[in-house]
Amino acid sequence: MKNNFCIAVLPGDGIGPEVMQQAYKILNILKDKCLLNLQFMEYDIGGIAIDKYGVALPQKTLLGCQKSDAILLGSIGGPKWQSLPDKQQPERSALLPLRKHFNLFVNIRPSILHPELKNLSPLHSRITRFGFEILCIRELTSGIYFGNSGNNLNQELQEYAFDTEIYYKFEIERIAHFAFKTAQKRKKKIVSVDKANVLQSSKLWRRTVEEVSKNYPDVELSHLYIDNAVMQIIKHPNTFDIILCSNLFGDILSDACGMLTGSIGMLASASLNENNFGLYEPAGGSAPDIQDKNLANPIAQILSIALMLRYSMNLHELSDAIYSSVNTALKQGYRTFDITDNTDYISTDQMGDIISKLFIKEV
Ligand code: NAD
């Protein structure tokens, strides 16, 4: 089994560098104690890269990512760069090109309700008492965000604007195959979400997912319209395992599922291509409101490493060990400010130290 990996580390802006410091603690344990030959190289991205080089995704960063097995990203953007023209905005000019360059068509977002954090969920306790663990698998490089769009907003005639949802069959097939293969390693259950009662692209989506499912007879497939899916996820989140969605529906549903767990500071995300090359990052942004205060929750960044070990490196036991360390820290009562109701919380650094110590015991 391969055990030498190179990781491109991109801390980025805002709380990115603070939470990445905690991720380094885990990376160093993986390197020193787990017989992994890990190399990590750090590169600039986002606002900090604009300040240094005038572009959010410098060539050196892109080349560094190309030479790596995976990318570990912090977060990008902030008020300092908000007044730049649309095309130069850090997220738009760094994140989207990165996804496109590496053809990261799969986006994975686990939403896990930790038993210790049930009180943070906006859902009623009669729903949260069952817990839930939903994996949202979203198509990331096609659909309405990439179709033809336009407007005549500056005309004297009636103004209009349009966006087009377009899906090629192969784009649906490849994300569906990924979802079914993932389902075989979990509860063998997929809910595919669409709007096939109205949209042509959804009709193709549903038919194609049905066809792909024939290759995976051990996986149970059902379909929900997006409006019903939202209702059912709020009402019975524990009945879902994998949710398979288009780019637009996945964008919305993954945030909705995430919010049901309590804090964005707990949510990691992975974007992958067909070779399992991946970009791993927290689901949240650069959180300028808590930047440089040692307040940010580092768990999302640490769990990004767990996803990287699982999906790009095939090291499932080490991935589980990270999840287990985080669970133990929560069970032992350690909380950052975003996951507690009282003032008895610990800092970003302290949470990083505690999880690292628990991780050393696990490995
Ligand atoms: P945000 O996710 O940065 O913050 C929303 C709220 O969540 C804030 O109150 C913040 O303090 C909190 N939060 C986020 N991460 C947290 C953590 N780890 N621990 C504790 N609390 C946390 O969203 P926003 O305020 O809308 O955006 C701020 C900047 O981030 C903007 O410039 C936006 O463009 C950028 N952004 C970047 C990414 C990315 O890098 N992928 C994603 C979303 C937003």
Side-chain angles (χ1 to χ4, degrees):
M1 191 190 284
K2 178 173 163 155
N3 87 332
N4 55 321
F5 299 97
C6 182
I7 303 166
V9 179
L10 319 180
D13 307 314
I15 59 167
E18 298 168 50
V19 289
M20 195 61 86
Q21 279 312 311
Q22 314 316 312
Y24 271 125
K25 292 174 185 170
I26 301 290
L27 290 176
N28 281 319
I29 297 168
L30 285 167
K31 187 175 173 178
D32 298 338
K33 306 240 180 260
C34 304
L35 300 176
L36 278 189
N37 184 2
L38 275 193
Q39 262 193 307
F40 10 103
M41 301 288 289
E42 193 168 303
Y43 302 96
D44 292 313
I45 192 165
I48 190 172
I50 294 179
D51 291 351
K52 280 194 192 169
Y53 311 104
V55 286
L57 181 60
Q59 195 60 13
K60 189 178 168 199
T61 302
L62 192 60
L63 285 176
C65 293
Q66 253 166 234
K67 282 191 247 155
S68 306
D69 298 289
I71 304 168
L72 190 62
L73 175 67
S75 52
I76 293 180
K80 185 173 176 194
W81 305 280
Q82 246 158 27
S83 52
L84 288 173
D86 255 13
K87 282 190 177 158
Q88 290 167 33
Q89 287 289 323
E91 267 183 277
R92 183 156 173 191
S93 58
L95 212 46
L96 295 188
L98 257 189
R99 286 179 186 163
K100 212 171 176 61
H101 183 85
F102 291 104
N103 194 21
L104 305 175
F105 67 90
V106 179
N107 181 253
I108 301 174
R109 187 92 88 74
S111 295
I112 301 167
L113 184 65
H114 292 269
E116 291 73 25
L117 301 183
K118 279 180 184 168
N119 61 321
L120 293 179
S121 174
L123 294 178
H124 196 279
S125 56
R126 69 172 180 271
I127 299 173
T128 56
R129 74 197 154 108
F130 299 112
F132 59 82
E133 207 171 319
I134 301 174
L135 188 70
C136 191
I137 299 184
R138 163 187 170 196
E139 198 290 324
L140 199 62
T141 51
S142 186
I144 199 160
Y145 298 152
F146 293 88
N148 192 17
S149 64
N151 63 58
N152 75 340
L153 297 184
N154 298 316
Q155 308 291 318
E156 283 174 12
L157 297 170
Q158 182 77 319
E159 288 184 321
Y160 68 78
F162 66 92
D163 301 278
T164 317
E165 163 112 341
I166 175 160
Y167 266 110
Y168 287 91
K169 196 173 168 78
F170 81 93
E171 293 172 327
I172 306 169
E173 282 170 344
R174 64 185 181 181
I175 187 83
H177 278 292
F178 181 89
F180 279 99
K181 287 191 177 116
T182 308
Q184 285 181 319
K185 293 179 209 141
R186 291 173 56 105
K187 292 187 181 163
K188 300 186 165 57
K189 197 172 149 188
I190 294 181
V191 175
S192 174
V193 173
D194 60 43
K195 190 71 184 169
N197 50 344
V198 179
L199 300 176
Q200 290 300 323
S201 53
S202 276
K203 288 185 205 299
L204 179 64
W205 179 277
R206 187 174 285 216
R207 178 159 56 80
T208 307
V209 173
E210 285 282 355
E211 284 167 20
V212 170
S213 76
K214 305 254 165 23
N215 300 290
Y216 306 90
D218 53 331
V219 178
E220 177 195 322
L221 170 68
S222 57
H223 304 272
L224 284 179
Y225 298 137
I226 175 70
D227 35 352
N228 190 17
V230 176
M231 290 196 285
Q232 298 309 322
I233 287 167
I234 292 170
K235 201 170 168 196
H236 305 294
N238 63 313
T239 61
F240 289 83
D241 187 55
I242 288 183
I243 304 179
L244 170 62
C245 315
S246 65
N247 204 343
L248 174 66
F249 295 156
D251 194 3
I252 299 162
L253 272 189
S254 60
D255 270 8
C257 292
M259 214 49 245
L260 301 183
T261 67
S263 173
I264 194 147
M266 304 284 299
L267 301 174
S269 127
S271 305
L272 306 170
N273 68 16
E274 69 280 11
N275 303 318
N276 296 333
F277 177 88
L279 168 73
Y280 299 87
E281 60 182 322
S286 59
D289 52 335
I290 54 167
Q291 178 182 348
D292 299 326
K293 293 184 176 155
N294 208 7
L295 276 178
N297 187 341
I299 290 180
Q301 190 74 70
I302 288 172
L303 291 180
S304 308
I305 302 176
L307 291 181
M308 178 175 77
L309 290 166
R310 174 168 294 272
Y311 290 101
S312 282
M313 300 176 180
N314 213 11
L315 297 168
H316 294 226
E317 282 179 15
L318 287 175
S319 173
D320 290 344
I322 294 182
Y323 272 103
S324 173
S325 313
V326 168
N327 287 343
T328 308
L330 295 173
K331 266 194 198 115
Q332 291 178 352
Y334 295 108
R335 302 282 185 271
T336 42
F337 90 106
D338 57 312
I339 50 173
T340 181
D341 295 332
N342 58 47
T343 51
D344 191 18
Y345 52 79
I346 59 173
S347 68
T348 310
D349 281 335
Q350 287 169 319
M351 186 60 109
D353 286 341
I354 285 159
I355 296 172
S356 306
K357 278 189 193 137
L358 292 165
F359 184 54
I360 290 176
K361 281 193 198 155
E362 290 271 347
V363 292

